[in-house]
Amino acid sequence: MWAAPYGTFALLAVLVADAPKWDLFIALGQYGISVIIGLLTLMGFYVLLVFFFARVSPTTFLKGISPAQLLAFSTSSSVATLPVTMERVEDHLGVEEEVSSFVLPIGATINMDGTTLYQAVAAVFIAQAFGIELDIQTQLGIIATATLASIGSAGVPGAGMVMLVIVLAQAGIPEAGLSFIFAIDRPLDMCRTTVNITGDATVSMLIAKSDNKLHLE
Ligand code: ASP
């Protein structure tokens, strides 16, 4: 076990050194950056929602939820982060337990906007790697199946990538393409899980506000 990281590094080093062209790595980098830009946009959208509808400032919201975000980032699991998300939302963002104990467990299982976004970008990337043209119908199909597949994904590391198979199959994209994105899936999983739990916290605050159950001094 101690030697495993060095072994993996050596295997990858050989692969990189033997690679005939850098194109694939550049493409992978662009794909990763696209996913991260999308996730940051989503995060900004949540902050705006909380600001306009729950009347909570971005700093208060981000400061309150950041320990849960850090845990989500390090574990890549919405479900493992759930107890901390609940604690932060109740004790630091003023959501009543009645709301958080209902909204957050459901959110951790079905509300995964970060995963939806990642699956859609990954499907388009793989299609482009195979030189497959995607017409508008197929693109709409990708949006619909990515939404459903993310609902079906478990809140555990790597689940979004497993469910991506469904999105690819529906769009007629070869599932073998998963091997392209496998190498950088973990860092992207860390980022999308952070967005997933922020989305859950956002929804719990909006519901608490609409129900007069948000008490933030
Ligand atoms: N790891 C993500 C989560 O727990 C699911 C995924 O793989 O996208 O929210």
Side-chain angles (χ1 to χ4, degrees):
M1 287 302 287
W2 286 108
Y6 304 105
T8 316
F9 173 77
L11 285 174
L12 278 173
V14 174
L15 210 69
V16 173
D18 279 354
K21 280 201 241 154
W22 282 97
D23 294 12
L24 184 65
F25 299 105
I26 294 171
L28 260 185
Q30 286 170 338
Y31 152 71
I33 290 169
S34 310
V35 173
I36 289 170
I37 291 175
L39 293 175
L40 286 174
T41 313
L42 209 49
M43 192 76 96
F45 180 63
Y46 291 147
V47 169
L48 287 179
L49 280 181
V50 169
F51 180 64
F52 285 112
F53 294 103
R55 294 269 148 227
V56 174
S57 78
T59 4
T60 313
F61 175 60
L62 291 173
K63 235 166 112 182
I65 197 65
S66 57
Q69 288 178 322
L70 276 178
L71 188 66
F73 188 76
S74 49
T75 60
S76 295
S77 169
S78 311
V79 171
T81 313
L82 183 58
V84 179
T85 317
M86 290 181 81
E87 188 262 333
R88 294 310 296 182
V89 160
E90 285 165 18
D91 299 348
H92 299 266
L93 292 170
V95 175
E96 274 188 27
E97 198 192 331
E98 200 185 327
V99 174
S100 66
S101 61
F102 179 69
V103 174
L104 291 175
I106 296 182
T109 1
I110 64 171
N111 179 39
M112 295 194 186
D113 303 339
T115 301
T116 313
L117 186 142
Y118 146 81
Q119 287 173 335
V121 177
V124 172
F125 170 74
I126 295 172
Q128 283 179 348
F130 279 110
I132 299 172
E133 277 289 324
L134 295 174
D135 57 21
I136 190 75
Q137 267 167 322
T138 320
Q139 290 179 36
L140 292 175
I142 289 177
I143 295 176
T145 39
T147 307
L148 293 174
S150 75
I151 292 174
S153 303
V156 296
M161 192 174 176
V162 176
M163 296 301 278
L164 180 58
V165 174
I166 298 175
V167 182
L168 298 180
Q170 181 276 337
I173 303 166
E175 285 99 1
L178 279 179
S179 57
F180 293 146
I181 57 167
F182 197 74
I184 59 163
D185 191 61
R186 184 64 189 214
L188 295 181
D189 195 1
M190 294 160 81
C191 300
R192 64 184 188 251
T193 309
T194 308
V195 171
N196 287 345
I197 66 108
T198 311
D200 300 339
T202 304
V203 173
S204 73
M205 291 193 72
L206 300 187
I207 292 183
K209 179 75 181 176
S210 69
D211 225 10
N212 272 332
K213 292 193 161 72
L214 184 68
H215 311 288
L216 194 63
E217 294 92 46

